Amino acid sequence: MAKRKFRLTEAERKELLQVYRACQDAATRTRYQAVRLYGEGYPEKEIEQITGCNRTSLMEWCRAYRADHSQGLVDKRVGGNRAKLRALQIEELQNTLHQYTPKERLGRKASTVDGQFWTVEDLVAVVRERYGVEYQSRTSYSCLMRLCGFSYQKTGKIFKSRSQTKVADFEEQLEKN
C-alpha cells in the first residue's frame, strides 16, 4: 500500500480550520474541510462520506492547496449563461410568453407557419430583440423555456405545402366510404 505523501503541519492545519470556520461559500468550505481531513490522515473513504466528494476531486484539491495555500481552494467558477438575464427580466419574459403567441409577438418572423406555439427559435428572437442577449447554446434556451413554465413537445409532421381544402375533401371522402 502506498504511503500518503500529503501531510499538513500544525500551522497549516490551524490555518485550514480557521478559514473553514470563517468561510461562507459552501463549495469552498467543503474543499477546506476535505483537504484538512486528508492532511490529518483520515482515510479517503471516510472523507468521501463526510464531505460528499470523490477521490479525484480530493486529490485535485490537495494539489491546488499545495500550489497556492491562500487561493488554491477558493471556488473560481463564474456564472455563465444563467447570469445573462436578471430574475425580473425572466419573470417579464415568462409573462410575455404566456400572454402572447409567437405570431402576435413576432409577426412573420415566427418560426412556425401558424405561430401558435413557442419554439426555441422564437424564444431566441424574443430574447435577442427585447434584451439584447444571446446565449451560447440551444440548451440554455431550453432551460430558459423550462424556467418560464414551458415543456418540450414533439411537433407533428405537417407539410407546409398541403392544401386545407384538399385535406377536407379527402376526409369527407373517407367518411362517405
Side-chain angles (χ1 to χ4, degrees), residues 108-176:
R108 289 185 170 175
K109 294 180 197 172
S111 65
T112 57
V113 176
D114 61 354
Q116 186 178 4
F117 301 105
W118 286 100
T119 64
V120 171
E121 289 74 23
D122 293 329
L123 181 64
V124 170
V126 169
V127 169
R128 186 181 303 133
E129 174 188 304
R130 178 100 178 171
Y131 304 106
V133 168
E134 282 193 50
Y135 287 101
Q136 296 170 1
S137 72
R138 183 179 168 91
T139 306
S140 298
Y141 288 103
S142 298
C143 291
L144 187 57
M145 285 280 265
R146 227 176 294 114
L147 263 175
C148 291
F150 288 88
S151 63
Y152 176 76
Q153 302 291 320
K154 199 168 187 176
T155 58
K157 293 187 179 187
I158 299 174
F159 295 103
K160 292 181 180 180
S161 62
R162 78 178 191 169
S163 167
Q164 292 292 7
T165 55
K166 287 182 181 179
V167 171
D169 291 343
F170 175 75
E171 289 175 351
E172 186 179 315
Q173 194 66 26
L174 278 176
E175 287 179 15
K176 288 182 181 178

Side-chain angles (χ1 to χ4, degrees), residues 2-141:
K3 188 171 179 174
R4 187 178 296 186
K5 294 177 185 175
F6 183 77
R7 290 280 179 195
L8 293 174
T9 64
E10 187 60 28
E12 290 172 333
R13 191 187 71 71
K14 284 181 180 178
E15 176 195 8
L16 275 173
L17 190 57
Q18 183 180 5
V19 292
Y20 167 77
R21 288 181 177 152
C23 185
Q24 298 295 315
D25 180 55
T28 304
R29 194 173 176 168
T30 299
R31 292 180 181 132
Y32 286 136
Q33 183 182 36
V35 170
R36 183 179 55 82
L37 293 174
Y38 186 75
E40 289 178 358
Y42 279 76
E44 291 172 14
K45 291 287 183 197
E46 196 172 331
I47 296 170
E48 290 173 19
Q49 288 177 340
I50 292 170
T51 62
C53 73
N54 58 36
R55 185 182 188 286
T56 306
S57 296
L58 178 61
M59 295 300 113
E60 286 176 15
W61 296 340
C62 288
R63 263 185 246 111
Y65 179 74
R66 273 190 241 135
D68 184 6
H69 286 273
S70 63
Q71 292 297 308
L73 298 176
V74 175
D75 189 7
K76 296 172 183 73
R77 294 178 291 182
V78 183
N81 285 336
R82 67 167 179 75
K84 289 192 176 185
L85 291 177
R86 295 186 305 275
L88 192 60
Q89 291 173 319
I90 291 173
E91 186 179 329
E92 181 182 300
L93 179 65
Q94 181 180 14
N95 292 336
T96 300
L97 296 181
H98 284 279
Q99 190 173 1
Y100 300 102
T101 64
K103 192 168 192 166
E104 292 171 335
R105 189 69 178 82
L106 298 169
R108 289 185 170 175
K109 294 180 197 172
S111 65
T112 57
V113 176
D114 61 354
Q116 186 178 4
F117 301 105
W118 286 100
T119 64
V120 171
E121 289 74 23
D122 293 329
L123 181 64
V124 170
V126 169
V127 169
R128 186 181 303 133
E129 174 188 304
R130 178 100 178 171
Y131 304 106
V133 168
E134 282 193 50
Y135 287 101
Q136 296 170 1
S137 72
R138 183 179 168 91
T139 306
S140 298
Y141 288 103

